[in-house]
Structure formats: C-alpha cells, structure tokens
C-alpha cells in the first residue's frame, strides 16, 4: 500500500499526521499477530496487576523491596499500554494514521515510563545494596519516607527527560514523507523524517540517552560489585544463597531491559536497521513487561509464598 506524502512550504512544518506502517509487510498474518499481541497484552496487565494486589494484601511483603516492585509492575502496565492498543488497532484497520499531537504524546509517555524504569531499576539496586551491605542500618536507611522520595524522584526524572526529548524532536521541521516505518512513534524512525541535516540533533539525543541510560546502569553496576563482594565474604553458604536469590530476579530484569535499550539508543544513525530495531523495540516494549511478573513470581520465594497464601484464602481446602 502506498501512502501519500504531505506538501511542504519553505522550511515550515506541514506534517499534520503520520502513518505508522507497523507490520504492514505481514498482512497475511495480521489476524494471527493481533491474537498474539492481545494475549500478550492481557497476560502483561493481568500478571502485573496480580503482583500489585499480592504486595498490597500480604503483610510479609510490606518491605522497601516490594514497594519498588509494586511501582515497577505499575510502570510495566503503563509502558505496554502506550504502544500495544494502537498496534492492535492498526493490525485490523486500513487507516494507520496518527495525528502530529498524538504521535508526540505517544513518544512522550513512552519515554516517561522508559526513563522512569531506568531510574527505578537503579533505585532497586541501591535497596539491595543497603539490605546486603548494611543490614544493621537498613531500616534506618530505607525508611518509608526515603522509599517514597526515591520512587517520586524516579517519576520526576523520567517526566523531565521525556518532556525535553519530545519537545526537542517535535519542534524540528518535518517535510516530505510522513510514513513511520515502525509500530509506534519511536525516536529514531521519527527523526529520519526531519528536514535537512540532523547530525547534531542526533548527537544531542544520543548524548542525552547515554546520560539517562548509562548513569543508572553505572549505579546498578557499582551496587552489584559491592553486593557480590559482600556476599563472597559471607561464611554461611545458606546466607550466600539467600542473598543471591534476592538479587537474581532484579538482575534478570536489568539485563533484559538495558541490553536492548543500550543497543537501540546509544549508537549512530548510520548503524540503524529498521527491521532489526523494530524487532528489538518489540522485545523491550512488549515482551519484557510480560516477563517481569513471570520472573519475579518464579524466581522469588516470598512472592510464590504470597501467591500460595492468597490462593488458600480464596479457595480454602475442604477437610
């Protein structure tokens, strides 16, 4: 299907809407993809809501670690909801357009939740560092007030970064093609539609993304270097295993999230591949959120115990 390009006048932005191609080159499997993504969205939302409910009602999970996990689960619901509903609508509709403002809003909220997750994962690493490296002072360090401030700080940082990025990109002049070869308004595909030489714009975005992604990542790395060093000094094998088990879920989520995010955002446009990046974006924006509740429920004894206790309360065994 060929989409019309909007006319331009001088250097003014004449684009009033964009066309999101999504998976238009897989029209023969559109209905199958729709069913697949519906299932993923349903499981993601249901799984993360279940994590939130379990943490809210189980007294054993009223700790800083699970306070941050509850925030992470809420983030994953929002994160997925920014892209999947529009993707599902585009799979069944011939009209794949999104307004200029709608595209900016989608990018903004996607960046808000993505940037907030970067910060929150770093906060969760700091929490594990405090619990393992300073166990006697842990209660004094991670007070309820401190937890709220760290979570709020993550949201504020994510919102400010997203506002700066979105404002910067959507005040640039757009002309010519308005077709986005992606399944949502991602930074790099939108940037390819900007008029003129975007080299310095690209450099500024890469620097900002590197700061946003690498700073929390370095904090996580330093925290886990200290954590591993402390764990290896423990004399009790049981203590070492317990300490490692409390970190394994978080480390798995960090590896999944940062692995794709670093590859996509911290590199020049010359190495940009539409097909590869579309797949990677699908992985970290759709697949990762569905894996988080699975990872935390399968690898975390406390969460599994809470699920079991809730199941017994809801469906008591008859004797």
């Amino acid at each position: 299907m060929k989409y019309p390009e909007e006319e331009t006048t001088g250097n003014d932005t004449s684009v009033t809407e964009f066309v999101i191609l999504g998976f238009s080159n897989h029209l023969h499997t559109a209905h199958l993809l729709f069913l697949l993504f519906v299932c993923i969205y349903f499981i993601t939302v249901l799984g993360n809501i279940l994590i939130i409910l379990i943490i809210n009602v189980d007294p054993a999970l009223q700790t800083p670690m699970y306070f941050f996990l509850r925030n992470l689960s809420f983030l994953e619901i929002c994160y997925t909801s920014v892209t999947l509903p529009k993707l599902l609508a585009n799979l069944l509709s011939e009209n794949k357009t999104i307004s200029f403002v709608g595209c900016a809003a989608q990018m903004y909220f996607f960046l808000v939740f993505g940037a907030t997750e970067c910060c929150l994962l770093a906060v969760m690493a700091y929490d594990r560092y405090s619990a393992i490296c300073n166990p006697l002072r842990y209660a004094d360090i991670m007070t309820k007030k401190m937890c709220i401030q760290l979570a709020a700080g993550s949201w504020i940082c994510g919102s400010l970064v997203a506002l700066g990025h979105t404002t910067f990109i959507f005040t640039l002049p757009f002309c010519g093609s308005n077709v986005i070869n992606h399944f949502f308004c991602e930074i790099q595909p939108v940037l390819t539609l900007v008029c003129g030489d975007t080299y310095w714009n690209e450099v500024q975005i890469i620097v900002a993304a590197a700061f946003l992604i690498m700073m929390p990542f370095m904090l996580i790395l330093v925290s886990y270097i200290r954590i591993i060093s402390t764990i290896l000094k423990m004399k009790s094998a049981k203590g070492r295993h317990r300490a490692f088990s409390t970190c394994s879920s978080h480390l798995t989520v960090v590896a999944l999230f940062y692995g794709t995010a670093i590859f996509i955002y911290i590199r020049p446009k010359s190495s940009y591949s539409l097909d590869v990046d579309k797949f990677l974006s699908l992985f970290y924006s759709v697949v990762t959120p569905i894996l988080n509740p699975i990872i935390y429920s399968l690898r975390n004894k406390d969460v599994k115990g809470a699920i079991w206790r809730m199941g017994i309360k809801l469906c008591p065994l008859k004797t």
Side-chain angles (χ1 to χ4, degrees):
M1 183 180 294
K2 187 175 177 66
Y3 295 97
E5 297 182 353
E6 300 198 5
E7 297 296 327
T8 61
T9 305
N11 293 325
D12 295 332
T13 301
S14 62
V15 174
T16 58
E17 64 179 19
F18 295 98
V19 176
I20 301 179
L21 286 185
F23 299 96
S24 298
N25 54 333
H26 300 284
L27 289 176
H28 56 290
T29 59
H31 288 86
L32 184 62
L33 288 173
F34 178 83
L35 290 175
L36 174 63
F37 290 133
V38 162
C39 291
I40 290 175
Y41 187 49
F42 178 77
I43 295 171
T44 299
V45 173
L46 189 64
N48 283 290
I49 287 177
L50 181 63
I51 294 291
I52 293 170
L53 289 176
I54 288 170
I55 293 172
N56 281 339
V57 301
D58 197 292
L61 302 183
Q62 304 308 307
T63 64
M65 175 180 175
Y66 295 105
F67 170 79
F68 295 125
L69 177 56
R70 183 171 53 190
N71 272 267
L72 181 64
S73 293
F74 177 72
L75 259 177
E76 299 295 22
I77 295 171
C78 299
Y79 196 51
T80 310
S81 298
V82 172
T83 57
L84 266 183
K86 182 63 178 175
L87 172 58
L88 292 171
N90 284 349
L91 283 170
L92 296 183
S93 173
E94 291 187 4
N95 181 14
K96 303 182 186 302
T97 60
I98 184 171
S99 68
F100 188 87
V101 174
C103 188
Q106 187 182 52
M107 181 182 291
Y108 170 75
F109 285 109
F110 184 79
L111 290 174
V112 166
F113 302 131
T116 302
E117 185 162 344
C118 282
C119 298
L120 191 62
L121 289 173
V123 167
M124 293 173 77
Y126 174 71
D127 171 67
R128 292 298 82 211
Y129 161 77
S130 301
I132 294 172
C133 299
N134 297 292
L136 299 179
R137 297 183 57 238
Y138 180 65
D140 295 327
I141 295 172
M142 300 304 294
T143 61
K144 184 177 181 180
K145 181 180 179 181
M146 175 60 74
C147 291
I148 293 172
Q149 288 176 341
L150 288 171
S154 298
W155 281 94
I156 291 170
C157 180
S159 300
L160 292 176
V161 168
L163 181 63
H165 261 60
T166 308
T167 302
F168 176 75
I169 291 172
F170 282 89
T171 52
L172 295 172
F174 289 87
C175 57
S177 176
N178 66 332
V179 178
I180 300 174
N181 189 1
H182 214 280
F183 62 91
F184 72 100
C185 292
E186 174 69 293
I187 290 178
Q188 288 285 12
V190 172
L191 197 61
T192 60
L193 306 182
V194 173
C195 299
D197 185 8
T198 62
Y199 174 77
W200 289 110
N201 300 325
E202 181 188 349
V203 168
Q204 291 172 10
I205 289 171
I206 290 174
V207 169
F211 178 80
L212 170 67
I213 295 172
M214 295 309 296
M215 283 297 290
F217 183 72
M218 291 304 296
L219 290 173
I220 293 170
L221 189 62
V222 170
S223 296
Y224 273 104
I225 289 173
R226 298 290 301 274
I227 288 170
I228 293 170
S229 175
T230 301
I231 291 174
L232 292 176
K233 292 176 183 176
M234 292 180 179
K235 295 180 180 179
S236 168
K238 186 177 180 180
R240 289 196 298 270
H241 180 267
R242 185 178 179 182
F244 271 122
S245 66
T246 63
C247 300
S248 60
S249 300
H250 180 252
L251 274 173
T252 305
V253 171
V254 167
L256 288 171
F257 183 81
Y258 276 96
T260 50
I262 289 173
F263 182 80
I264 285 178
Y265 290 109
I266 308 179
R267 62 197 176 95
K269 192 167 65 176
S270 57
S271 62
Y272 182 70
S273 170
L274 292 174
D275 292 332
V276 173
D277 283 55
K278 194 184 293 187
F279 172 78
L280 289 173
S281 296
L282 187 67
F283 184 83
Y284 78 80
S285 64
V286 176
V287 178
T288 301
I290 196 177
L291 292 177
N292 285 357
I294 296 173
I295 290 168
Y296 275 102
S297 60
L298 293 180
R299 298 181 63 89
N300 191 297
K301 290 183 179 179
D302 292 336
V303 175
K304 285 192 287 187
I307 293 173
W308 177 255
R309 289 190 294 272
M310 177 179 278
I312 292 175
K313 287 181 181 178
L314 295 176
C315 304
L317 297 172
K318 293 183 180 180
T319 56

